[in-house]
Amino acid sequence: MAVTCESQRTVFRRIAQQPYVEWPTYDSTPLYDRTSLPGLESDIRVVSEVWFSYQEHDSLEQYVCELPIAYFRFEAHDCYGSSTRYQMDPLFRVFLLKELHGWEYETDLMEYLECHPTLCEQLGLERVLDQSTLWRSWHKRFTAELRSTVETAARTILIKAQNAGVTVPRDPDRHRPSHGDEADESDPDDHAVLDEAATITEHVSRVVFPAFSLDRGEGCEIHETAYWDLQTYLGLRERLAANEGARSFVYESTRDRTPLGHAHRDHIRDLSIEQIREMHRQAIRHLIDEVAVTEEFFRAGIVAIDITEGDPFTGDRTDHEDEIIGTKEQSDEYAYQWATVQLVGNAAPLVLDVRSVRKGESRKEIVEDLLDSAKDLVHVDNVLMDREFDSQHVLEMISQRGLSYVVPKRMQTSEKAQAKRLLQRGQDRYETDRKLHLGKNEWHETTLIYRRKENSEHDDHQQYSVFMTNRGSGHLTEYGYRWEIESGYRSIKRFMAATTSKHFGLRFFYFAFACLLYSIWRAVDLLVQVELTGEYEHSPIVTAGNTLTLLKNETGIG
C-alpha cells in the first residue's frame, strides 16, 4: 500500500505524543546538534519504530525515500568540502538502500537503480550514478563515521521492520558488530572481555547520556557533559560527596573547565522530581533500544517492584516530615525512601523506572505508577513484590490489568493457625483459595500457598511462608528471582554520591542516576556476552567497576 500524507502525519503525531521521546533529538539536548551522527541514528530509530507499525508502511524503499533528514548538516561529514554535483542527502539515502539489501559492490546498486528509474527520482537523483562515482562517494567522500552511521541505521531499520512483520531483503545481524579481534567464543579471556566492553560502553554512553539535560541556556562556558562526567565520577568512588569529588575531578579530568561542587548541586536542585524521572525513563528507553536487538533480551516479562531506603537519617526533620519518613522495619528510625520497578528473571536486570516515596502515598498508587512506566517500555507478564504490597486492592488492580502476581502474605491469626496444623501433620506444602474483601460486597479471589522453608532456624509455625498468586502454584518458583532486586540495590547504593543535604530533589537525582549507572553496567554485560559467546548467562562477566571505569574514560575523565 502507498504511503499517504495522512499516514505520515499520523506517524509524527504519534511520535510527538510519546511522553519519553524527543524528535528530532538535537532539539531536546545540548549534547547533540544538527551535525551529531549519534543524534541522527537515534532519530532514525525513533521514526522506524513507529513507521512500520502502520499496515500501509510495508516498503523499506518508500521509507528510505520519505525518511526526514533535511535538517541534518551532512557537510560536516563530507571529505570533499567543496561544491560537487551530487548532494550528500540523496547519497546518504542511496547508500542506505545499498546497505539494506546487503549488496557488496556498487555495481549491484547501480544496476538496481537503472531498473527502477522512478525510485532513482524519489531518492533525489537526476540520473543513475555510475559505478566509479558511487565508489568514490562511499570510500573517499563519506567519512568513516558517516559510513558507520549508514550501516547502523540500515541495521536498525531492518530490525524494526522485521519486528513489525514487514518483508525485508535480508535478515539483520542482531549482534552488535565487533571492532576487535575475534575471541574464543567458548571461553573469552579477560582481555577480550575488556576490549569488547570498551567498544560497547563507548557506544552506549553516546546513546544514553543525551537524555539528561540541565536546560542552562546557551553560551555556558562549561559544557553540559562535564556535569554528567562529574556525576559518573562520583559513582566511581564510594561515599564521595560533590565538593570533594569536584576538587579531585579537576585533576583527573581531561577537560579544561569542570564544574564546582556547589554549582553542580545548584543545577541539579533546579530539576523537579518529574523532570528527573522523565530523563531517567528516556535514557532507559534508549538503553532498551540497544539491547532489544538481541534475541536474548526478548525473554523479558517478569518485573519486581520494591521500595528501598537510604541510610537512617539522624538530623532535624523539621519541615521535611513528608519526605524523611519511617523505615520499613518497626523502629524509631527515619529515612528517605525510593521505589523502583526492575526486570528480573532471565532478562538483564535493568531498572525501568524510579520514583520517590512520600508520606501518605498508598502502595496501590506507587504500583500503578511504576507498572504504567514498565508496560510502556517492555512486555510484562508477571509482577513480583514484597509482603508490604500484600494489599487486596493492589492485587485486584494487577489482576484487572491481565497480569499475574506472586506476593508473600503477612501471617495473621488464620494463617498462623493453618501453619500450625500443617506442622502437626508434617505437611510441607498446602494450597487454598481465598476471597479478600475489597469493600461494598466486592471480593478479590486469590490462591494462598503455604510452603515450608528448608533448613529453617525456627521449630514452630514460623517455618512456613505464605504466598498469594492469581495464576496457581506454577508461578511460585519465579519468586526466587526477586532476590535480584535486593542485590541490585546494594550495587546501586554503591554508585550513589554522598550528601548531607536534605533537598529532596538532589537526593532523588543521586539515586536515579545511580540506578542508571547500574542499568548501563548490566546492559553492557549482556551485549558483551552475546557478542563474545552468542548467549547470555545471568552471572555478569563484566564487573561493575570495569564498566564505571570505561564510562569514566569515555566521558573524558580518564
Side-chain angles (χ1 to χ4, degrees):
M1 299 177 66
V3 175
T4 65
C5 291
E6 180 58 33
S7 69
Q8 292 186 66
R9 281 195 294 268
T10 302
V11 166
F12 292 100
R13 190 180 299 118
R14 180 176 168 186
I15 291 174
Q17 291 171 347
Q18 292 183 359
Y20 315 129
V21 174
E22 295 288 346
W23 182 91
T25 191
Y26 78 86
D27 204 27
S28 64
T29 171
L31 301 186
Y32 289 159
D33 57 29
R34 296 189 183 200
T35 68
S36 301
L37 291 173
L40 178 61
E41 294 171 12
S42 175
D43 288 343
I44 292 175
R45 179 171 57 247
V46 168
V47 177
S48 301
E49 185 164 7
V50 179
W51 183 277
F52 293 111
S53 66
Y54 290 89
Q55 185 177 359
E56 58 264 40
H57 295 176
D58 56 358
S59 168
L60 267 68
E61 292 180 356
Q62 284 183 319
Y63 177 71
V64 170
C65 295
E66 301 293 343
L67 183 64
I69 55 175
Y71 68 87
F72 193 77
R73 294 174 179 167
F74 284 103
E75 61 269 19
H77 309 282
D78 185 351
C79 292
Y80 285 1
S82 58
S83 178
T84 56
R85 181 171 183 177
Y86 301 104
Q87 299 297 317
M88 290 288 283
D89 184 313
L91 287 175
F92 180 84
R93 297 179 193 273
V94 165
F95 288 117
L96 191 56
L97 180 66
K98 175 178 179 289
E99 189 66 27
L100 287 171
H101 282 273
W103 293 320
E104 185 175 357
Y105 301 108
E106 288 75 17
T107 303
D108 298 321
L109 173 61
M110 181 187 69
E111 292 176 349
Y112 187 82
L113 292 175
E114 287 176 342
C115 295
H116 299 81
T118 302
L119 174 60
C120 193
E121 182 180 344
Q122 291 174 336
L123 289 169
L125 296 174
E126 297 177 359
R127 64 182 181 86
V128 177
L129 282 65
D130 58 41
Q131 186 272 339
S132 61
T133 300
L134 289 169
W135 188 92
R136 287 195 304 272
S137 297
W138 179 255
H139 293 279
K140 300 296 183 181
R141 187 173 180 183
F142 277 33
T143 63
E145 292 77 12
L146 183 56
R147 292 197 297 271
S148 176
T149 291
V150 171
E151 294 165 353
T152 299
R155 177 170 167 267
T156 297
I157 293 168
L158 288 169
I159 290 172
K160 298 300 184 184
Q162 191 176 63
N163 289 347
V166 174
T167 301
V168 296
R170 66 180 178 89
D171 286 333
D173 181 5
R174 290 182 179 264
H175 290 180
R176 184 172 304 284
S178 177
H179 298 278
D181 297 331
E182 293 297 325
D184 179 2
E185 292 187 356
S186 62
D187 186 20
D189 59 27
D190 291 343
H191 182 72
V193 169
L194 287 176
D195 280 352
E196 193 64 34
T199 300
I200 291 175
T201 301
E202 186 273 335
H203 175 80
V204 166
S205 63
R206 286 193 298 121
V207 169
V208 170
F209 284 123
F212 282 78
S213 175
L214 292 174
D215 193 21
R216 297 178 302 148
E218 299 180 358
C220 298
E221 293 185 11
I222 300 178
H223 198 281
E224 184 164 298
T225 53
Y227 290 87
W228 313 131
D229 296 350
L230 174 56
Q231 193 66 39
T232 304
Y233 179 76
L234 298 178
L236 283 166
R237 310 283 185 84
E238 191 167 3
R239 310 302 299 167
L240 185 62
N243 279 345
E244 180 185 355
R247 288 192 291 269
S248 302
F249 186 58
V250 170
Y251 299 104
E252 295 200 36
S253 174
T254 57
R255 293 181 177 275
D256 295 330
R257 295 288 304 277
T258 58
L260 297 175
H262 71 273
H264 182 70
R265 291 195 306 274
D266 287 344
H267 282 304
I268 291 174
R269 287 192 186 105
D270 290 337
L271 298 172
S272 68
I273 295 292
E274 190 49 48
Q275 283 177 310
I276 296 169
R277 288 190 68 188
E278 184 171 344
M279 289 190 295
H280 179 272
R281 287 189 292 245
Q282 187 172 342
I284 291 298
R285 182 180 293 277
H286 293 171
L287 197 59
I288 288 174
D289 283 338
E290 293 302 310
V291 298
V293 299
T294 66
E295 295 176 353
E296 288 73 14
F297 184 73
F298 289 112
R299 294 180 294 185
I302 307 174
V303 298
I305 293 176
D306 205 350
I307 293 176
T308 189
E309 55 200 31
D311 294 334
F313 186 85
T314 57
D316 183 6
R317 291 195 309 138
T318 303
D319 297 329
H320 296 273
E321 291 86 352
D322 290 343
E323 301 164 355
I324 309 173
I325 57 181
T327 64
K328 294 191 290 182
E329 302 296 331
Q330 297 296 325
S331 69
D332 295 330
E333 294 182 332
Y334 297 95
Y336 291 90
Q337 292 188 11
W338 322 113
T340 66
V341 56
Q342 178 177 318
L343 283 174
V344 294
N346 292 323
L350 308 183
V351 180
L352 301 175
D353 195 15
V354 297
R355 61 160 289 157
S356 58
V357 179
R358 298 176 186 267
K359 184 178 180 180
E361 290 182 315
S362 70
R363 292 298 186 254
K364 180 174 179 286
E365 178 184 353
I366 292 170
V367 173
E368 279 187 305
D369 185 17
L370 293 175
L371 279 181
D372 286 340
S373 293
K375 294 189 72 174
D376 188 54
L377 291 168
V378 297
H379 175 73
V380 177
D381 288 321
N382 195 7
V383 184
L384 309 179
M385 296 178 292
D386 200 359
R387 57 177 45 87
E388 65 182 301
F389 295 98
D390 68 355
S391 161
Q392 60 267 38
H393 297 283
V394 172
L395 305 183
E396 176 67 12
M397 178 269 295
I398 294 174
S399 292
Q400 288 180 351
R401 288 170 175 250
L403 304 176
S404 60
Y405 63 78
V406 179
V407 184
K409 187 181 188 305
R410 285 170 282 200
M411 296 183 72
Q412 307 297 340
T413 302
S414 61
E415 288 80 38
K416 292 177 182 178
Q418 181 61 61
K420 291 176 182 178
R421 288 192 291 270
L422 294 175
L423 182 62
Q424 292 173 352
R425 300 173 194 160
Q427 190 171 341
D428 294 335
R429 192 181 183 96
Y430 174 73
E431 294 185 24
T432 183
D433 293 334
R434 174 75 66 84
K435 289 185 177 181
L436 305 176
H437 190 224
L438 296 170
K440 296 182 180 180
N441 202 30
E442 295 180 341
W443 303 83
H444 173 73
E445 296 184 4
T446 189
T447 299
L448 266 58
I449 303 175
Y450 292 76
R451 188 176 67 179
R452 194 173 190 171
K453 291 176 281 189
E454 296 182 1
N455 302 319
S456 174
E457 61 184 18
H458 300 285
D459 58 5
D460 58 5
H461 70 278
Q462 297 180 73
Q463 296 179 44
Y464 291 87
S465 296
V466 186
F467 294 86
M468 294 184 291
T469 180
N470 58 347
R471 291 293 188 272
S473 60
H475 284 71
L476 192 57
T477 56
E478 294 180 349
Y479 192 77
Y481 293 137
R482 201 196 145 276
W483 69 268
E484 297 165 4
I485 203 168
E486 299 295 345
S487 62
Y489 280 150
R490 288 193 291 271
S491 295
I492 289 165
K493 291 176 181 179
R494 159 66 178 79
F495 298 157
M496 286 181 65
T499 183
T500 58
S501 172
K502 287 185 281 190
H503 191 280
F504 199 51
L506 180 69
R507 291 264 186 171
F508 179 66
F509 179 86
Y510 280 4
F511 178 75
F513 199 88
C515 287
L516 178 62
L517 292 178
Y518 173 79
S519 295
I520 290 174
W521 163 39
R522 300 311 300 256
V524 166
D525 177 70
L526 179 147
L527 294 171
V528 169
Q529 288 195 45
V530 171
E531 184 58 45
L532 294 181
T533 70
E535 57 186 20
Y536 175 60
E537 297 293 337
H538 207 73
S539 179
I541 65 174
V542 181
T543 68
N546 284 339
T547 303
L548 285 186
T549 300
L550 291 169
L551 277 175
K552 178 191 75 170
N553 294 336
E554 294 304 333
T555 51
I557 305 169

